[in-house]
Amino acid sequence: METDITLVVDGERRSLTLDTRTSLLDALREHLGVASPKKGCDHGQCGACTVLLDGRRATSCLTFAVAQDGAEVVTAAGLAQDGLHPVQQAFVDNDAFQCGFCTPGQVCSAVGMLEELEEGSPSYVTEDLTSTASADDDEIRERMSGNLCRCGAYGGIRSAIREVSS
């Protein structure tokens, strides 16, 4: 069964006719030609497909595209509208990538987690639930734990996130 949907992808309104079983990741990559989110595990375990969905980070491989009709999707490529986003620049400055496969998902997740911190959303490791959590190593590790890096660039990723959060 197919249905028509509209998504706003990286600021551009896009219309699609999709099988109702199509993941958001497949809609982006295979139907719209958006290469930024990567298909890593296709099970929501690696984070390579992370995008910002209506401002919140989401694993696009586990999200049905048809359930997102009218949604705004921002990929790592869409963050760089007028030059690099501050998180992207911090990744460059802190050598927060090696092969680069996971980088788009890491960047989107970092942007999302920084927004969560700014909103005051606690995580599992937030000690004081009455105050705003800071981007210390424990918070960054916990909040970024759904994004895996096969190359082990975690030290640079943490440094980049700390730099942007300060």
Side-chain angles (χ1 to χ4, degrees):
M1 181 174 169
E2 291 189 337
T3 190
D4 296 327
I5 67 166
T6 302
L7 299 169
V8 178
V9 180
D10 295 335
E12 184 180 340
R13 190 171 191 78
R14 310 283 299 268
S15 296
L16 301 128
T17 301
L18 298 171
D19 183 297
T20 57
R21 299 168 292 181
T22 304
S23 70
L24 180 59
L25 176 62
D26 288 342
L28 292 169
R29 290 187 60 80
E30 296 174 17
H31 296 271
L32 297 176
V34 178
S36 180
K38 305 295 188 235
K39 187 176 276 198
C41 66
D42 213 22
H43 295 287
Q45 297 173 342
C46 73
C49 68
T50 303
V51 298
L52 298 173
L53 183 58
D54 289 332
R56 305 297 256 171
R57 53 191 172 149
T59 49
S60 60
C61 72
L62 294 181
T63 306
F64 284 118
V66 296
Q68 305 310 316
D69 187 22
E72 180 180 356
V73 179
V74 177
T75 69
L79 290 170
Q81 295 299 319
D82 296 318
L84 293 179
H85 183 279
V87 170
Q88 292 169 318
Q89 186 61 57
F91 268 59
V92 171
D93 295 344
N94 289 277
D95 294 324
F97 54 89
Q98 288 181 31
C99 79
F101 185 82
C102 72
T103 304
Q106 295 276 3
V107 165
C108 284
S109 192
V111 169
M113 77 148 272
L114 289 168
E115 180 65 29
E116 291 167 11
L117 279 171
E118 191 173 306
E119 292 172 353
S121 299
S123 76
Y124 179 75
V125 299
T126 304
E127 289 185 29
D128 183 0
L129 298 180
T130 62
S131 66
T132 303
S134 64
D136 62 24
D137 283 351
D138 288 339
E139 283 289 346
I140 293 170
R141 280 188 195 100
E142 172 64 24
R143 292 174 189 263
M144 294 295 291
S145 64
N147 291 81
L148 304 179
C149 173
R150 293 178 247 187
C151 302
Y154 297 115
I157 292 167
R158 279 193 314 274
S159 294
I161 294 170
R162 274 195 314 270
E163 179 180 301
V164 175
S165 71
S166 58

